Amino acid sequence: MPEYWDPEIETMPVEDLKKLQEEKLKQLVHYVYERSPFYRKRFDEHGVKPEDIQTLEDVRKLPFTVKQDLRDTYPTGMFCVPNTDLARFHASSGTTGKPTVVGYTQKDIDEWAESLARGFTSVGMGENDILQVSYGYGLFTGGLGAHYGSEKLGATVLPTSSGNTERQLELMKDLDVTAIACTPSYFLYMIETARKLGISFRDETKLKIGFFGAEPWSEELKKRIEAESGIKAYDIYGTSEMSGPLFTECSAQCGIHIWADKFLVEILDPETGEPVPDGESGELVITTLTKEALPLIRYRVKDLTRKLSEPCPCGRTHPRITRISGRSDDMIIVRGINVFPGQVESVLMKIPEVGNHFMIIVDRIGPLDSMKIQIEMHESAFSDKMSDMMALKRKISGALKSVLNLAVEVELVEHGSLPRSEGKSKKVIDKRKV
Ligand SMILES: [Zn+2]
């Protein structure tokens, strides 16, 4: 099994990679300026010309782009090629506003698939693997992204999409599926369904690798998934604006490699827009270096992460980011304190009596914000004794308070009572917004 998909690029000395990025960045600014009225106007308003960009550091002279730009120019106003040159469209669900449309040339699709083929190879997946793609297919990029990446690798794809879980488990067993890609919440649902049906992942399936992403999840949840299913769980990352799922952790599992020959990463302070030092948390900002249809200049992804630049044990020289700890958009402010659902998840998943599902409910009663967390008990943890349950509640509220600096009301609910998700899960209900 090859160790690298493209050894020359993946292990290129950092200095050479930077030179390559610099060349591509210089070409990119001319490309977008000449082809996209949106970018030309944005550059002009910002007083920057393509010639001003000569080094990698000059990227900071360029204006940011944000999701709202895609909405304002709906459907294709930011594109750099005519629609007839496109090979495919995808679109966002538009749950938080007008949908956004992304487009791809054939080369864009090939490069997208190649990025994932590199990632799949980096965890030891190869052409003998069978990947069940349980991400949704369609306008969402998860399903088709993983599908094309796997085909590029030469692996076998089982395109189940999401839903119909019993059938999925049956096919997984019968076809000797070895790898799966889906949201972590859907995989939790699969684990639960398998348990109900009396199917053991360890003994009755060949599943050994899972790629989980499309929603933030914690290290603690990863450990639970591994313990409950016996597989290795890897992060997979990318957003539809960047193309779709593009990057994964490597077998060293110390961050997600971002392919530097295709993407330039900045980590910035979300408030000041200034770079934070490597290793510190900030907002991910991406410049695409090779995309043709919809190149992005300094796109503010709003995902919070840290950049790791020290060498990776796997030998790849491309920078890594840590798992996404949340989205700056997901932050809930309760009584003036910033709370991320990921922090809550990290605390809860460390407590063995707690099950895999919870829901945060924020409300305002009179002038005061209140936060309640409904927490499912672990199947084995339910006790008839009131005193046991009270003690557990106190233990959970104490653990939450020490991390969040906020007193929260804890409500323990029966196993199986919170809604399950076959796609991205909803972990917060903010009644103040209704
Ligand atoms: Zn690595």
Side-chain angles (χ1 to χ4, degrees), residues 122 249-255 257 312-316 318 320:
S122 78
E249 284 179 293
C250 64
S251 52
Q253 288 200 291
C254 49
H257 285 283
C312 182
C314 77
R316 289 174 183 79
H318 295 239
R320 286 162 294 144

Side-chain angles (χ1 to χ4, degrees), residues 114-288:
E114 203 224 347
S115 285
L116 263 191
R118 288 185 196 172
F120 288 160
T121 308
S122 78
V123 304
M125 194 172 139
E127 54 185 26
N128 292 331
D129 279 291
I130 301 175
L131 177 72
Q132 181 161 344
V133 179
S134 306
Y135 276 123
Y137 277 65
L139 289 175
F140 173 56
T141 51
L144 284 165
H147 185 110
Y148 275 63
S150 180
E151 284 194 345
K152 179 73 114 187
L153 183 70
T156 309
V157 185
L158 176 64
T160 49
S161 193
S162 59
N164 208 344
T165 308
E166 292 190 20
R167 182 86 189 286
Q168 298 227 14
L169 289 165
E170 191 183 349
L171 289 168
M172 181 189 286
K173 271 200 319 183
D174 295 345
L175 298 175
D176 293 337
V177 167
T178 57
I180 188 165
C182 60
T183 59
S185 33
Y186 186 54
F187 194 66
L188 285 177
Y189 184 63
M190 278 189 151
I191 292 177
E192 194 171 84
T193 308
R195 204 176 287 140
K196 270 187 207 144
L197 297 172
I199 299 172
S200 156
F201 272 94
R202 274 189 183 78
D203 302 332
E204 294 175 66
T205 77
K206 296 258 178 350
L207 198 68
K208 55 183 191 215
I209 298 172
F211 300 98
F212 304 115
E215 61 186 16
W217 58 308
S218 62
E219 193 59 35
E220 287 70 25
L221 181 58
K222 174 189 243 173
K223 285 186 192 138
R224 278 200 175 202
I225 285 179
E226 291 186 336
E228 291 185 20
S229 66
I231 69 167
K232 265 292 204 194
Y234 296 97
D235 244 319
I236 182 167
Y237 181 67
T239 69
S240 62
E241 299 83 13
M242 295 177 208
S243 274
L246 285 155
F247 315 110
T248 71
E249 284 179 293
C250 64
S251 52
Q253 288 200 291
C254 49
I256 302 162
H257 285 283
I258 304 291
W259 306 120
D261 55 318
K262 302 180 195 291
F263 297 88
L264 180 63
V265 177
E266 296 172 84
I267 307 288
L268 304 180
D269 181 320
E271 272 159 31
T272 63
E274 292 298 311
V276 300
D278 281 0
E280 283 187 22
S281 177
E283 180 188 323
L284 179 67
V285 174
I286 286 278
T287 298
T288 65

